[in-house]
Amino acid sequence: WEPTAYNPELQLIYIPGIEGCNYLENQEQKDMADQGGPVQWRSRFAGGGQKTTERLYGSLKAVDPATGDTKATLKLEYPNYSGALATAGNLVFIGHADGTLTAHDAKTLKEVWSFSVGSGINAPPISYSVNGKQYIAVASGIGGVYAMRFGDPNLANVPAGDTLWVFELFDK
């Protein structure tokens, strides 16, 4: 459900991803309120709960939406919960759970810039302009939520944030 982005000049869609293996364990529901337990609707209708036995990772893919062909793929250390932003200057921005905001070449997905904001990012970056200057903004503040949810010790000490970061884009 993370936002994708589209570059009309290159005719590519950028898809952020969460990859890895999850397992569903089917079980008969026995904990509804009429059985003396709490109501757990997700488990009730999914037939069981999600089991993540391996560390998940992320990806960013450049895909031709007309053909479905993947033109470039970038494997990310952590699942991408932030989404993607494509700019007219052929950059793609994404935020990372470890607090890094990165810019990538729109054709190759090679990283061309990065900045650590100090707290995890799970909001999509946005772009806007004021008086002819273009800006990229992103909110940070995921903190250790990812680590708690998936047991990732690498992110257990990522501080909480609640900060809006704004960067001005310059021509080379």
Side-chain angles (χ1 to χ4, degrees):
W1 58 81
E2 294 73 34
T4 60
Y6 181 68
N7 181 317
E9 179 186 324
L10 299 176
Q11 297 183 4
L12 293 174
I13 189 168
Y14 301 94
I15 304 171
I18 301 169
E19 299 192 18
C21 292
N22 284 320
Y23 302 92
L24 290 178
E25 185 176 88
N26 291 329
Q27 57 193 23
E28 183 181 349
Q29 182 72 28
K30 294 188 180 268
D31 58 358
M32 293 299 288
D34 65 346
Q35 299 165 343
V39 176
Q40 296 182 349
W41 293 108
R42 184 174 188 165
S43 294
R44 174 75 170 182
F45 294 107
Q50 169 183 318
K51 306 289 182 190
T52 303
T53 59
E54 302 171 13
R55 185 174 180 268
L56 301 177
Y57 60 94
S59 66
L60 179 63
K61 295 180 180 178
V63 175
D64 180 333
T67 64
D69 292 340
T70 300
K71 300 297 185 179
T73 300
L74 176 66
K75 184 176 179 179
L76 305 172
E77 188 171 351
Y78 303 108
N80 183 313
Y81 290 104
S82 77
L85 167 71
T87 69
N90 290 327
L91 295 174
V92 178
F93 288 85
I94 56 174
H96 302 263
D98 68 357
T100 307
L101 178 66
T102 55
H104 303 266
D105 177 271
K107 291 180 184 176
T108 65
L109 299 183
K110 179 182 175 186
E111 185 178 300
V112 296
W113 175 86
S114 71
F115 184 85
S116 177
V117 301
S119 62
I121 300 170
N122 67 345
I126 65 163
S127 178
Y128 64 95
S129 66
V130 176
N131 297 326
K133 294 182 181 180
Q134 185 177 2
Y135 300 91
I136 302 296
V138 69
S140 69
I142 192 173
V145 173
Y146 174 83
M148 291 185 294
R149 171 86 167 89
F150 296 104
D152 190 332
N154 297 317
L155 296 175
N157 296 317
V158 173
D162 297 332
T163 304
L164 176 63
W165 294 86
V166 180
F167 303 88
E168 183 180 349
L169 291 182
F170 295 96
D171 290 329
K172 288 184 178 183

